[in-house]
Amino acid sequence: MQIIPVLLGVSIVVFFMVRAIPGDPAQIMLGQQATQAQVQQVRENMGLDKPIFVQYGLFLKDALRGDLGDSIVTGRPVTTELMVRLPATFELTAFAMLLAVLVGVPVGVISAVKQYSLLDKTTSVLALTGISMPIFWLAMILVVIFGVNLELLPFPGRLDPTTGITAITGLVLVDSLLTLNFAGFWDGLLHLIMPALALGTIPMAVVMRMTRSSMLEVMGEDYVRTARAKGVVPWRVVFKHALRNAMLPTITVIGLQVGLLMGGAIITETIFSWPGIGLYAYDSISSRDYASIQGVVLYGALLFVLVNLVVDILYAVLDPRVRY
């Protein structure tokens, strides 16, 4: 039920803020050579000549029916544009988050178990470095080193132009496996590594630091000391007794990072020319495409709310006390 007021509030904010952006979308669409009469005609066709509150009422009425308007750049429905680009962004953010969790959680656990060791100090420095690096800088460094100088990883885009993939789900890795196109899978994976690494570095560092902090707190609890005193195998103490309880705050951070990855995806997709929603948002802002900008922001808000719903459900799965 929280989705309704959240999306309503987001729609109000984005609708009025987008119209505060300097520039006339009708003028941008027609070009500088267009006459005032032509610009005015386009404004009337787009409904931009109506009072702003009337415009919002019409937008809200259409949005409730699933109609987010048409893009002034492509002329296609915004909903269609989002659905076409959603698989690319989903594949990128999922792979980036997978890297963050697979590296961040184990390293955080080891750092907590080996507190104040050389490994702990080294990973803490690396985590702080990862959090401090801007995504755009890291992305360009990766391109220069692995793409230009060493020529180990391809860029830009999702696939080499000569590689063909039969589209089923829109996810390159999944579709290539479903059609047994292993060459396409390998090409898609190579194209995915650099943008996913650039996008997942900050979440990886955050997850690692949160896991370490939570593990240190849990390892000092009475039930952990009792398990050790009873002679429970050390790895069972760490993974069965400590980690499960320590994962609650870590899951919260992971959920927040999934939502924040959408913001980082705009920068990453623009640098790597990744054909997802982030690049679509950048192009929409550049062209003052009101409908597209509104659609992207509403999609991001919906995703954020759904991720938080999943986090709440996982709380109950990991900690039975939450259910009562």
Side-chain angles (χ1 to χ4, degrees):
M1 294 300 295
Q2 293 178 357
I3 294 178
I4 298 175
V6 168
L7 293 183
L8 180 61
V10 169
S11 69
I12 294 173
V13 173
V14 68
F15 185 88
F16 289 96
M17 289 191 67
V18 161
R19 279 152 181 76
I21 300 176
D24 187 346
Q27 183 72 62
I28 294 174
M29 184 173 63
L30 293 175
Q32 297 299 323
Q33 305 301 321
T35 64
Q36 188 61 36
Q38 292 173 325
V39 173
Q40 184 60 32
Q41 182 62 46
V42 172
R43 287 180 57 83
E44 292 178 3
N45 295 338
M46 297 173 62
L48 297 177
D49 60 323
K50 296 181 175 63
I52 190 168
F53 291 102
V54 175
Q55 294 182 42
Y56 176 73
L58 295 174
F59 162 74
L60 187 61
K61 177 183 176 182
D62 293 337
L64 291 175
R65 297 181 300 178
D67 182 8
L68 297 177
D70 297 334
S71 169
I72 65 172
V73 176
T74 64
R76 300 172 63 189
V78 173
T79 305
T80 302
E81 297 282 2
L82 292 177
M83 295 307 297
V84 169
R85 291 165 172 78
L86 176 59
T89 298
F90 178 80
E91 191 169 46
L92 174 59
T93 54
F95 198 79
M97 204 66 234
L98 182 64
L99 288 176
V101 173
L102 291 181
V103 176
V105 172
V107 172
V109 172
I110 296 173
S111 297
V113 174
K114 303 292 185 181
Q115 187 181 13
Y116 302 132
S117 65
L118 179 60
L119 176 62
D120 180 30
K121 295 178 181 178
T122 302
T123 54
S124 296
V125 171
L126 292 177
L128 183 61
T129 304
I131 294 175
S132 305
M133 286 191 298
I135 293 179
F136 70 88
W137 181 83
L138 177 60
M140 290 187 290
I141 291 298
L142 291 175
V143 168
V144 171
I145 295 177
F146 296 103
V148 178
N149 294 339
L150 300 179
E151 297 183 355
L152 294 177
L153 296 173
F155 76 98
R158 298 178 74 189
L159 287 171
D160 189 273
T162 60
T163 303
I165 296 288
T166 302
I168 301 175
T169 65
L171 304 174
V172 169
L173 300 185
V174 175
D175 291 346
S176 57
L177 289 178
L178 290 177
T179 57
L180 302 180
N181 185 351
F182 299 110
F185 176 84
W186 181 247
D187 186 38
L189 183 62
L190 291 178
H191 277 83
L192 185 59
I193 291 176
M194 271 200 297
L197 186 59
L199 187 60
T201 298
I202 292 179
M204 185 188 303
V206 173
V207 169
M208 192 279 285
R209 288 174 64 88
M210 179 56 68
T211 303
R212 178 184 181 276
S213 176
S214 300
M215 283 292 296
L216 288 176
E217 182 178 349
V218 171
M219 293 292 284
E221 295 291 337
D222 292 339
Y223 63 87
V224 175
R225 288 197 295 267
T226 301
R228 286 174 170 171
K230 291 170 62 177
V232 178
V233 181
W235 69 266
R236 287 180 63 88
V237 174
V238 172
F239 291 100
K240 183 178 180 180
H241 297 277
L243 182 59
R244 183 167 181 173
N245 291 282
M247 282 300 293
L248 292 179
T250 302
I251 288 177
T252 302
V253 169
I254 292 174
L256 293 174
Q257 291 300 314
V258 170
L260 294 175
L261 282 180
M262 289 303 302
I266 296 178
I267 302 173
T268 306
E269 291 184 4
T270 302
I271 293 175
F272 290 97
S273 296
W274 193 265
I277 292 179
L279 182 59
Y280 180 60
Y282 174 81
D283 293 337
S284 299
I285 294 172
S286 301
S287 59
R288 307 301 190 273
D289 193 342
Y290 289 171
S292 298
I293 298 173
Q294 292 162 180
V296 170
V297 175
L298 287 175
Y299 154 79
L302 178 61
L303 175 66
F304 214 102
V305 173
L306 293 178
V307 168
N308 278 275
L309 174 62
V310 173
V311 169
D312 290 341
I313 295 174
L314 288 177
Y315 270 10
V317 174
L318 293 176
D319 190 351
R321 296 171 298 180
V322 178
R323 305 173 197 167
Y324 304 104

